[in-house]
Amino acid sequence: MAKPSEAAWFKDTYEWRYKTTLDDTLTVEKLSHPQERRLIMGLLWIALSTIIVTILPALTGVLVSVFMGVAVGLSDVVLSARITPDTLFICREGLGLKTGSTFLTIPFIDIQHVSTDAQKLVIQRENAELSVSKRDYPPHVFEGLKQIMQAEGFLGQAYPYRIYFTPDHIAIEEKPASKELSTHERFSKHFRYYDETTLDTLDLANTRLLGLKRLKERTAAIEFKSIKVLRAHPSNEAMKQQKTDRGMLVFSAFEVVSLTVGDTLIAKPFKTLRDLIHGMTLKAVLKESGKTYVMTMENSEKMYQLRFTATALYVGFNALESDTWYRV
């Protein structure tokens, strides 16, 4: 097994790459087989010694053979100390293999093909392949990976499951199919940070907008490139204003009242805004009274004003500036 500091590095790196949060993970080093290497080196030494003793005078040949034996032994000690074993990383969302300075990671969702036999498991995604040999890892690792691939639907019928790790066991537990998740339940699983909040916890001025979606349960989601959360935001433990990465503003019970550009009232407000919103700059969002909001946006030097009603505001994103994996 890897040292705790190494295991933490694998976990942090995977979280940073895929903007996720992992709880249970397994990090295991590839098994070494020094006996095989020593057998080969020993046979080589015997062969060379036989040749040397045959060619050189007896005493000289023996001395050279002894010297070579010492050299072979020292070489084995140096190799054992310097060889860095490959390390396999497994979590509930994917896996990875560190070879030298390269850490190849493959989320389960990106896997395109899996093949296996009694001794090897080969996992492929576009432009990458990860091969796990049974002899290179403890038995529970190889068998556990095969069970995960089956649960994911690559080696059999897929089924919903939970996964648990201990140093000597990978537990795959089938779970009953859950009822269809609500919009907010889905977003809470998709985003590391997902909170119901209010406008006074956010600074939305000059936010770059990326898209608008109408979802089930009369919910609308506005995608943004980055916003600023203020000290009062429930997920902002740093207690200072921070930028976020890409995320969503989610309004419950969303209904459009009107969309205007200048003094012109637009006939199909939601469809028009959905087609135009990518690249818009959000200038301000104000709550007029009760459930009514007014959102002002700029696009190509035109100012649009959206008036709508909503009962609640949620914000979802995956990283804050204080997070080590933050990237705008």
Side-chain angles (χ1 to χ4, degrees), residues 183-184 186-187 191 194 211-224 247-256 270 273-274 277 295 306 308-316:
T183 298
H184 295 302
R186 286 193 294 109
F187 280 137
F191 292 111
Y194 188 74
L212 171 65
K213 299 177 181 178
R214 189 191 295 278
L215 308 170
K216 64 181 182 179
E217 301 165 344
R218 296 171 59 217
T219 301
I222 299 174
E223 298 176 86
F224 57 78
M248 284 186 176
L249 300 171
V250 182
F251 293 93
S252 295
F254 176 89
E255 294 292 342
V256 174
F270 192 90
L273 184 59
R274 186 185 60 195
I277 198 170
M295 183 178 291
L306 175 69
F308 62 94
T309 60
T311 57
L313 166 64
Y314 292 77
V315 180

Side-chain angles (χ1 to χ4, degrees), residues 193-213:
Y193 302 106
Y194 188 74
D195 300 285
E196 182 177 1
T197 188
T198 53
L199 290 174
D200 57 5
T201 70
L202 308 170
D203 180 359
L204 299 174
N206 298 315
T207 295
R208 187 75 175 271
L209 302 179
L210 303 176
L212 171 65
K213 299 177 181 178

Side-chain angles (χ1 to χ4, degrees), residues 20-262:
T20 187
T21 304
L22 302 173
D23 40 21
D24 210 9
T25 66
L26 177 67
T27 305
V28 58
E29 291 183 348
K30 184 176 180 180
L31 299 174
S32 62
H33 300 283
Q35 64 276 13
E36 295 180 4
R37 183 180 70 247
R38 289 166 185 166
L39 176 61
I40 294 172
M41 295 177 74
L43 292 173
L44 179 63
W45 174 74
I46 291 171
L48 290 174
S49 296
T50 301
I51 295 172
I52 291 169
V53 170
T54 302
I55 296 174
L56 298 177
L59 181 58
T60 304
V62 171
L63 291 175
V64 172
S65 297
V66 171
F67 175 78
M68 287 183 58
V70 173
V72 168
L74 290 175
S75 298
D76 181 66
V77 172
V78 172
L79 284 173
S80 299
R82 289 183 173 273
I83 291 177
T84 302
D86 294 350
T87 303
L88 184 67
F89 172 81
I90 309 173
C91 64
R92 69 165 187 267
E93 297 178 7
L95 53 130
L97 182 67
K98 186 175 186 296
T99 305
S101 60
T102 301
F103 184 35
L104 169 66
T105 49
I106 303 182
F108 295 142
I109 196 172
D110 291 343
I111 296 175
Q112 296 177 336
H113 180 71
V114 176
S115 60
T116 186
D117 56 30
Q119 301 299 323
K120 183 182 291 186
L121 183 68
V122 180
I123 299 165
Q124 297 172 314
R125 71 170 191 194
E126 186 178 4
N127 301 323
E129 180 178 292
L130 192 154
S131 179
V132 179
S133 176
K134 183 175 183 178
R135 70 187 298 274
D136 289 336
Y137 296 95
H140 74 279
V141 173
F142 184 78
E143 295 303 322
L145 269 180
K146 288 178 67 174
Q147 290 182 49
I148 293 172
M149 292 300 104
Q150 180 175 340
E152 288 288 330
F154 295 105
L155 301 178
Q157 181 65 41
Y159 59 86
Y161 69 98
R162 297 183 180 91
I163 182 170
Y164 305 97
F165 303 104
T166 67
D168 56 2
H169 187 58
I170 298 177
I172 310 299
E173 179 183 293
E174 185 173 359
K175 62 179 183 180
S178 60
K179 63 180 179 62
E180 187 177 6
L181 298 177
S182 70
T183 298
H184 295 302
E185 287 172 330
R186 286 193 294 109
F187 280 137
S188 68
K189 294 179 180 296
H190 180 74
F191 292 111
R192 175 181 171 86
Y193 302 106
Y194 188 74
D195 300 285
E196 182 177 1
T197 188
T198 53
L199 290 174
D200 57 5
T201 70
L202 308 170
D203 180 359
L204 299 174
N206 298 315
T207 295
R208 187 75 175 271
L209 302 179
L210 303 176
L212 171 65
K213 299 177 181 178
R214 189 191 295 278
L215 308 170
K216 64 181 182 179
E217 301 165 344
R218 296 171 59 217
T219 301
I222 299 174
E223 298 176 86
F224 57 78
K225 183 177 180 181
S226 176
I227 62 172
K228 295 177 183 176
V229 297
L230 307 179
R231 292 178 61 182
H233 188 276
S235 291
N236 189 5
E237 297 180 357
M239 297 299 290
K240 64 180 180 180
Q241 180 175 291
Q242 295 192 73
K243 288 182 181 180
T244 72
D245 66 341
R246 179 171 176 162
M248 284 186 176
L249 300 171
V250 182
F251 293 93
S252 295
F254 176 89
E255 294 292 342
V256 174
V257 177
S258 64
L259 176 65
T260 57
V261 51

